[in-house]
Amino acid sequence: TLGLQYASDAESAFVRVRNSTKDLYIRYNQYGSKDLDTYQAEIEKQLMIVEESLSSYSGTISDSQDQANYDKLDGLFKDYKSGVNTILSAVQGGNTATSVLASMNNMTNAADKTDAAFDSLSSHITEISQTQMNTDQIMAWVLIGTVAGVVVLAFVLALILGNRISGMIAQPVEVFASFAKILAAGDVDVGKVTTDKDRLLAKRKD
């Protein structure tokens, strides 16, 4: 579903933010503030992808548990993003590598909680998707069974009606054929080929 795709996109971008932040620190620790623009731009890009994907996901929320999972994740991610921005500011401000590392350690808990929140969100939406898939499969089989039943019923009715119609057509033809044989033999007694039903019809005055 779209919800699962949005959640996956957001989580992937979140993982890239964590990795890029670590890379940023390693680079900063070794070379200072030189040539850090690429790392910072990548972090900011991935943070934006997370926000956009979560915003899109909010339009696919399916139940109260899904909403609760989303709200929790959204709050934790905002705390994590604040920690990342603190690191970016520290790097841009030329703070010591030790202080930057301290900031990273301080946001480790927020990062882990956000990661766990992503797992909860994805797990629940996967369960919802599986349930919906099972329901769709059941409905498909019900539909197939209904159609098959209608086809069989139509076939049986066609056979019944076909036999009745053929009988209605065949009986007069047989009568005329018998009458023709009698006439050909010179016998003009119509009563020999007249049925009780024919006699009743002949007596009706309406």
Side-chain angles (χ1 to χ4, degrees):
T1 63
L2 281 177
L4 191 58
Q5 182 62 54
Y6 292 141
S8 178
D9 290 345
E11 186 170 12
S12 296
F14 170 72
V15 171
R16 287 192 290 270
V17 171
R18 296 192 70 174
N19 292 335
S20 296
T21 303
K22 294 176 183 177
D23 293 340
L24 173 71
Y25 168 73
I26 293 172
R27 177 75 184 187
Y28 186 70
N29 186 45
Q30 292 178 342
Y31 304 103
S33 58
K34 182 180 179 180
D35 299 328
L36 295 179
D37 292 345
T38 301
Y39 297 94
Q40 294 176 5
E42 178 65 15
I43 291 172
E44 291 170 354
K45 175 185 175 182
Q46 297 305 323
L47 285 173
M48 184 176 296
I49 291 176
V50 175
E51 290 181 321
E52 291 175 349
S53 298
L54 288 179
S55 178
S56 297
Y57 181 87
S58 66
T60 68
I61 291 175
S62 56
D63 59 25
S64 59
Q65 183 59 54
D66 197 17
Q67 182 69 57
N69 290 340
Y70 170 80
D71 290 339
K72 181 178 181 179
L73 172 58
D74 187 53
L76 289 170
F77 174 71
K78 287 178 179 176
D79 291 341
Y80 173 76
K81 180 184 176 182
S82 177
V84 173
N85 287 332
T86 297
I87 293 173
L88 293 178
S89 297
V91 169
Q92 292 168 355
N95 293 12
T96 64
T98 302
S99 65
V100 173
L101 179 60
S103 297
M104 290 185 64
N105 290 334
N106 288 337
M107 75 171 194
T108 298
N109 187 44
D112 291 341
K113 287 184 177 180
T114 303
D115 191 37
F118 268 115
D119 289 342
S120 296
L121 187 77
S122 298
S123 176
H124 184 67
I125 193 62
T126 299
E127 291 177 3
I128 293 175
S129 299
Q130 185 61 51
T131 300
Q132 184 62 48
M133 186 180 299
N134 292 339
T135 300
D136 291 343
Q137 289 177 344
I138 291 173
M139 293 301 296
W141 281 111
V142 170
L143 180 60
I144 292 172
T146 301
V147 172
V150 170
V151 171
V152 171
L153 179 61
F155 180 74
V156 172
L157 289 176
L159 287 177
I160 294 173
L161 291 175
N163 289 333
R164 294 196 62 180
I165 292 174
S166 62
M168 292 171 62
I169 295 175
Q171 183 179 356
V173 172
E174 291 174 357
V175 171
F176 283 124
S178 299
F179 184 57
K181 290 180 180 180
I182 291 174
L183 290 177
D187 190 348
V188 294
D189 186 2
V190 179
K192 292 182 178 181
V193 293
T194 303
T195 64
D196 293 338
K197 185 176 181 181
D198 295 330
R199 296 188 185 93
L200 290 174
L201 290 174
K203 292 179 179 180
R204 292 180 58 179
K205 299 180 179 181
D206 56 348

